[in-house]
Amino acid sequence: MLPVLECDDVTDKEGGRHYWVFNVNLRDGRFKVLDSNRTLDNIELMTTASTIAWAVRQLWRKHYPKFSIEHFQIIDIDVHKQLGNNECGLFALLNATEWNDSQLPNYEPKEVLNIRKKLAYDWVISVHNTAPWRKLLRYDKD
């Protein structure tokens, strides 16, 4: 899984960025695109996916010359589509971590707010989080 941050509009200094996931599936012999906003019918997405596939093939030839991936095709995975304009990062994260190549992640686009809350909570209380989050969030009462 490769997370992609694509600049949709190079003239837009404040935004115009979009997250999606590029998957190299060795078992099935395919490159798979998981985009919550577009399909491969979109010329910009297809161009970017083709560029990434070209780069992966170049690196693969250099490091794994005994196994060819030249025949891999780029296919679109029909993932859940985002409802708003600023949800692509969350959808990319869920697609990258929850998609198992046979079933889509078990969530609905309308659940985005609750998913954000749950992820934030999980990250804050994680044993791996060593930041003084109680102090930062002013959680402790004096």
Side-chain angles (χ1 to χ4, degrees), residues 12-133:
D12 184 354
K13 303 279 188 221
E14 300 300 317
R17 291 162 186 80
H18 177 65
Y19 284 100
W20 55 277
V21 177
F22 184 89
N23 173 256
V24 180
N25 187 304
L26 296 175
R27 184 190 65 217
D28 294 343
R30 297 179 179 156
F31 297 121
K32 298 181 179 183
V33 170
L34 294 87
D35 191 311
S36 63
N37 196 37
R38 305 169 294 177
T39 66
L40 286 173
D41 292 335
N42 178 285
I43 190 69
E44 288 87 11
L45 178 60
M46 187 59 182
T47 300
T48 303
S50 297
T51 301
I52 294 170
W54 176 85
V56 168
R57 286 182 181 114
Q58 291 286 95
L59 289 168
W60 197 271
R61 277 194 296 274
K62 179 179 178 181
H63 296 284
Y64 304 100
K66 293 181 181 179
F67 181 76
S68 175
I69 62 170
E70 297 300 319
H71 63 284
F72 283 24
Q73 298 295 312
I74 301 171
I75 66 162
D76 207 5
I77 302 300
D78 187 22
V79 297
H80 296 299
K81 300 302 182 204
Q82 64 192 66
L83 300 176
N85 290 332
N86 62 350
E87 299 166 347
C88 60
L90 179 62
F91 278 66
L93 176 65
L94 291 170
N95 289 331
T97 59
E98 302 294 325
W99 182 61
N100 66 7
D101 201 24
S102 62
Q103 287 184 314
L104 293 175
N106 187 20
Y107 69 91
E108 293 294 325
K110 63 185 177 189
E111 298 175 297
V112 167
L113 182 58
N114 289 335
I115 293 169
R116 285 179 190 232
K117 289 177 185 178
K118 181 178 181 330
L119 286 174
Y121 176 79
D122 289 347
W123 292 335
V124 166
I125 67 162
S126 170
V127 296
H128 303 290
N129 182 359
T130 58
W133 65 268

